[in-house]
């Protein structure tokens, strides 16, 4: 793509999310969402083949439907309150419709079906932008309307998302689909605590973005999109096998690593609010997630995965240099002792 | 009948929306869009917005829909689908029509309708003289306010449209 146009379109994606996060008028928020959606389509279609076109079409259709539902909720809110500010949603119907629309944008169950298919059809870098940056805008709106969200709907969607994210990722060998199901499960964790303590949602979002960024950059570094291809990294850069191990276990939520922090805080917050069965179920279902992360680490760093002898050499011209990778790896694994600092997110 | 003109126009509006949502060929969709644009203009005019109604006719129908019609005429197929040519299209059209008829009967019969929001039958659709807004017309003042206090909205929508054109060109250009 022409570099000038590519820069313009990328900046428009950023601008769209910024408008959503900083506006106080519902119409501007909707305009921000539309700008974001419109500008990310050519980024998803960077490589021009039928698979990316299909993925971009699916993404566009689901997100446009979600924007329309959001507009309807905005208008119902306008009818019942007479004003456009985003402090509180005044009508329960509008609140439910808005929650569903934002759940469609995030990829929560039962609207999760587009996430694996779209993530699989696009390149790794586009998938990275899709799974990290695109989650910021809907989550910021959910944060802002969190006092008026119907608890039952949100918790049902959250728990089902954790279940689907764990269960659906079990049969996958394609790395992008694994990351997509991991995204669905993490969104479930984030929205489960939204009504109780929205600060923890922001904390989880921050740590999730760091870990997903790290994982995708490790995949980009070794140019691998399948488990089989990832299992050959021991031959190319043996250090990244250890880094993949650490980051994946952090994503699974194991204690000395930073991925444990949001899960711990969320479970603590939920038990403080006298719901004990729910966090138990959530923690048990997170084990499904941990299982397929561990399967990835098993095939990548703990064993030499069986393959024919001439597949063991990975061909690449020059080593991709990702400057951001070392600090990201450090942040996504060693952040746990800094847990008391999460009060700055208020 | 004149008191219920907005209600009648809104029914025609919904029916024409059903007409193009049942997905005949785009040419016929454009035809129904013209009808819906005209009827929408009538609805706006009944609420006192003569300027906005004329905007709909001029810019929407006379600008955007004309360009749409030309591009569709260039890309059309030999036997375009009408509403009666395909069972699916006709089925969806009849289903939408049926739902609208049921809704209209419900509104006409009952005192109060509570679908998503409550309104009391057909009475709510009639236009009353809602007080004196003075010498000026409210909706032209709204347009003027868009260009003065609402400059940020104009900038954002203008940028969105510009990026929309860039995106469409980028997507159709391909490699």
């Amino acid at each position: 793509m022409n570099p000038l146009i590519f820069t313009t379109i990328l900046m428009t994606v950023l601008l769209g999310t910024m408008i959503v996060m900083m506006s106080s008028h519902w119409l501007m928020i909707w305009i921000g969402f539309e700008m974001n959606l419109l500008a990310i389509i050519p980024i998803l279609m960077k490589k021009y083949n039928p698979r990316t076109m299909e993925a971009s079409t699916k993404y566009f259709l689901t997100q446009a439907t979600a924007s329309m539902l959001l507009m309807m909720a905005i208008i119902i809110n306008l009818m019942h309150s007479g004003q456009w500010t985003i402090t509180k949603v005044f009508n329960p119907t509008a609140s439910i419709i808005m929650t569903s629309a934002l759940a469609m944008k995030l990829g929560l169950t039962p609207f999760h079906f587009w996430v694996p298919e779209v993530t699989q059809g696009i390149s790794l870098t586009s998938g990275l932008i899709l799974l990290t940056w695109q989650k910021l805008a809907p989550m910021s709106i959910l944060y802002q309307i969190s006092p008026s969200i119907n608890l039952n709907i949100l918790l049902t969607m959250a728990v089902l998302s954790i279940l689907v994210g764990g269960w659906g990722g079990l049969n996958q060998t394609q790395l992008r689909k694994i990351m997509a199901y991991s995204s669905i499960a993490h969104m479930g964790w984030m929205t489960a605590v939204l009504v109780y303590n929205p600060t923890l949602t922001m904390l989880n979002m921050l740590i999730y973005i760091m870990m997903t960024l790290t994982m995708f950059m490790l995949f980009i570094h070794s140019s691998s999109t399948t488990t089989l291809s990832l299992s050959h990294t021991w031959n190319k850069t043996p250090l990244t096998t250890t880094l993949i191990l650490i980051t994946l276990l952090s994503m699974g939520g194991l204690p000395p690593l930073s991925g444990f922090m949001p899960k711990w805080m969320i479970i603590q917050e939920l038990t403080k609010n006298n719901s004990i069965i729910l966090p138990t179920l959530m923690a048990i279902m997170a084990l499904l997630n941990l299982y397929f992360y561990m399967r990835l680490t098993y095939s990548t760093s703990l064993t030499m995965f069986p393959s024919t002898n001439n597949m063991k050499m990975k061909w690449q011209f020059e080593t991709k240099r990702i400057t951001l990778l070392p600090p990201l790896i450090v942040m996504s694994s060693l952040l746990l002792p800094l847990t008391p600092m999460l009060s700055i997110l208020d | 009948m004149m008191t219920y003109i907005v209600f009648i126009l809104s029914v025609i509006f919904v029916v024409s929306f059903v007409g193009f949502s049942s997905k005949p060929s785009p040419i016929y969709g454009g035809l129904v869009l013209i009808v819906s644009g005209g009827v929408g203009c009538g609805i706006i005019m009944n609420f006192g917005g003569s300027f906005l109604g004329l905007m709909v006719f001029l810019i929407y129908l006379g600008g955007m829909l004309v360009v749409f019609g030309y591009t569709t005429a260039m890309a059309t197929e030999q036997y375009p689908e009408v509403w009666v040519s395909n069972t699916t299209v006709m089925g969806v059209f009849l289903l939408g029509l049926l739902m609208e008829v049921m809704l209209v009967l419900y509104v006409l019969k009952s005192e109060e309708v509570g679908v998503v929001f409550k309104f009391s039958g057909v009475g709510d659709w009639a236009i009353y003289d809602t007080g004196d807004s003075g010498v000026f017309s409210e909706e032209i003042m709204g347009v003027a306010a868009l260009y003065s206090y609402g400059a940020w909205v104009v900038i954002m929508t203008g940028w969105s449209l510009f990026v929309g054109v860039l995106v469409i060109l980028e997507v159709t250009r391909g490699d």
Side-chain angles (χ1 to χ4, degrees):
Chain A
M1 217 192 291
N2 184 0
L4 181 62
I5 299 196
F6 182 64
T7 314
T8 313
I9 288 181
L10 202 60
M11 289 300 123
T12 310
V13 174
L14 266 60
L15 182 65
T17 311
M18 286 293 123
I19 290 178
V20 169
M21 299 207 297
M22 292 195 288
S23 289
S24 51
H25 193 278
W26 274 119
L27 192 63
M28 296 308 296
I29 288 173
W30 185 83
I31 291 180
F33 272 123
E34 292 300 295
M35 198 189 292
N36 192 9
L37 170 62
L38 208 52
I40 204 172
I41 297 296
I43 295 183
L44 296 184
M45 283 181 58
K46 243 192 329 197
K47 289 206 193 86
Y48 202 69
N49 54 44
R51 205 170 303 130
T52 53
M53 290 201 286
E54 181 188 338
S56 316
T57 314
K58 278 182 196 161
Y59 184 68
F60 182 76
L61 285 176
T62 52
Q63 301 282 305
T65 314
S67 288
M68 276 193 261
L69 280 175
L70 183 67
M71 182 51 108
M72 179 157 139
I74 292 173
I75 293 181
I76 296 176
N77 186 27
L78 175 69
M79 273 192 59
H80 284 268
S81 65
Q83 45 92 31
W84 291 90
T85 57
I86 191 183
T87 49
K88 179 174 131 90
V89 181
F90 285 93
N91 187 19
T93 314
S95 168
I96 292 177
I97 297 178
M98 198 174 289
T99 314
S100 316
L102 293 169
M104 278 179 82
K105 284 197 176 283
L106 280 177
L108 289 175
T109 315
F111 310 115
H112 67 278
F113 293 100
W114 60 270
V115 189
E117 300 175 18
V118 173
T119 320
Q120 179 63 24
I122 55 185
S123 64
L124 275 172
T125 323
S126 306
L128 173 65
I129 299 179
L130 183 76
L131 287 184
T132 53
W133 184 260
Q134 295 295 91
K135 311 288 182 196
L136 282 177
M139 196 51 92
S140 78
I141 301 298
L142 273 177
Y143 181 92
Q144 286 172 337
I145 66 171
S146 62
S148 33
I149 298 183
N150 186 356
L151 187 66
N152 299 319
I153 289 190
L154 199 65
L155 277 184
T156 314
M157 287 201 284
V159 170
L160 284 177
S161 300
I162 303 175
L163 185 61
V164 163
W167 217 343
L170 283 182
N171 199 20
Q172 307 297 337
T173 53
Q174 295 282 334
L175 294 177
R176 287 170 288 184
K177 277 204 175 122
I178 286 181
M179 296 310 294
Y181 280 107
S182 133
S183 151
I184 298 174
H186 276 109
M187 290 298 135
W189 275 92
M190 282 184 229
T191 47
V193 80
L194 185 67
V195 191
Y196 296 107
N197 191 356
T199 313
L200 295 179
T201 308
M202 289 298 124
L203 171 76
N204 199 353
M205 173 68 89
L206 197 63
I207 301 213
Y208 161 73
I209 288 182
M210 274 196 280
M211 294 191 297
T212 311
L213 215 55
T214 315
M215 277 320 296
F216 265 103
M217 286 191 171
L218 285 167
F219 294 156
I220 291 173
H221 177 77
S222 53
S223 307
S224 48
T225 54
T226 60
T227 311
L228 184 63
S229 162
L230 192 66
S231 65
H232 292 140
T233 49
W234 64 268
N235 201 6
K236 204 162 72 169
T237 37
L239 183 58
T240 53
T241 56
T242 321
L243 301 173
I244 289 175
L245 169 81
I246 296 177
T247 317
L248 275 173
L249 291 182
S250 180
M251 281 189 91
L254 290 188
L257 307 170
S258 39
F260 180 57
M261 191 196 328
K263 291 197 164 61
W264 173 24
M265 292 288 113
I266 289 176
I267 293 179
Q268 186 174 16
E269 199 62 37
L270 283 171
T271 50
K272 270 192 224 165
N273 279 292
N274 285 328
S275 75
I276 308 196
I277 304 180
L278 183 70
T280 315
L281 274 177
M282 282 163 58
I284 290 177
M285 293 190 287
L287 287 176
L288 293 169
N289 258 327
L290 185 62
Y291 175 69
F292 60 78
Y293 295 143
M294 289 213 59
R295 194 169 52 190
L296 261 184
T297 63
Y298 180 76
S299 67
T300 309
S301 32
L302 298 178
T303 56
M304 280 171 57
F305 207 58
S307 60
T308 53
N309 267 340
N310 57 354
M311 273 180 78
K312 291 207 197 316
M313 298 295 291
K314 270 192 97 139
W315 176 252
Q316 67 169 2
F317 289 98
E318 55 183 32
T319 314
K320 291 200 183 92
R321 186 203 186 132
I322 308 178
T323 323
L324 194 54
L325 199 50
L328 269 181
I329 292 172
V330 169
M331 283 211 294
S332 66
S333 49
L334 296 175
L335 223 44
L336 191 60
L338 290 180
T339 308
M341 277 188 69
L342 70 86
S343 52
I344 63 174
L345 280 173
D346 262 329
Chain B
M1 192 207 66
M2 205 52 199
T3 42
Y4 301 117
I5 187 69
V6 177
F7 182 65
I8 297 173
L9 286 178
S10 74
V11 171
I12 305 177
F13 194 62
V14 174
V15 167
S16 49
F17 263 60
V18 169
F20 70 73
S21 305
S22 51
K23 284 186 263 296
S25 159
I27 282 283
Y28 294 103
L31 176 69
V32 169
L33 217 62
I34 296 177
V35 173
S36 76
V39 167
C41 166
I43 296 177
I44 301 177
M45 284 204 180
N46 270 307
F47 281 99
S50 45
F51 176 66
L52 289 174
L54 284 175
M55 283 290 246
V56 166
F57 258 111
L58 260 177
I59 309 297
Y60 186 69
L61 296 183
M64 302 201 282
L65 206 65
V66 163
V67 175
F68 171 72
Y70 273 119
T71 52
T72 316
M74 281 199 289
T76 191
E77 51 204 6
Q78 197 182 10
Y79 296 107
E81 278 201 30
V82 201
W83 291 277
V84 294
S85 67
N86 187 2
T87 328
T88 318
V89 175
M90 183 156 76
V92 176
F93 182 61
L94 287 179
L95 181 68
L97 214 58
L98 179 72
M99 288 180 66
E100 174 65 11
V101 163
M102 290 204 313
L103 186 67
V104 166
L105 287 176
Y106 180 37
V107 167
L108 285 176
K109 291 282 189 240
S110 70
E111 255 324 296
E112 190 182 75
V113 179
V115 178
V116 175
F117 46 90
K118 287 194 189 330
F119 59 95
S120 51
V122 194
D124 253 5
W125 288 91
I127 313 283
Y128 300 111
D129 207 356
T130 52
D132 199 356
S133 51
V135 191
F136 51 87
S137 152
E138 280 180 344
E139 42 102 34
I140 294 207
M141 285 298 120
V143 175
L146 176 69
Y147 286 101
S148 60
Y149 302 109
W152 178 242
V153 181
V154 173
I155 296 174
M156 275 308 112
T157 42
W159 182 254
S160 302
L161 292 173
F162 174 64
V163 168
V165 170
L166 276 186
V167 162
I168 289 172
L169 287 178
E170 200 51 54
V171 165
T172 48
R173 188 179 64 134
D175 242 334

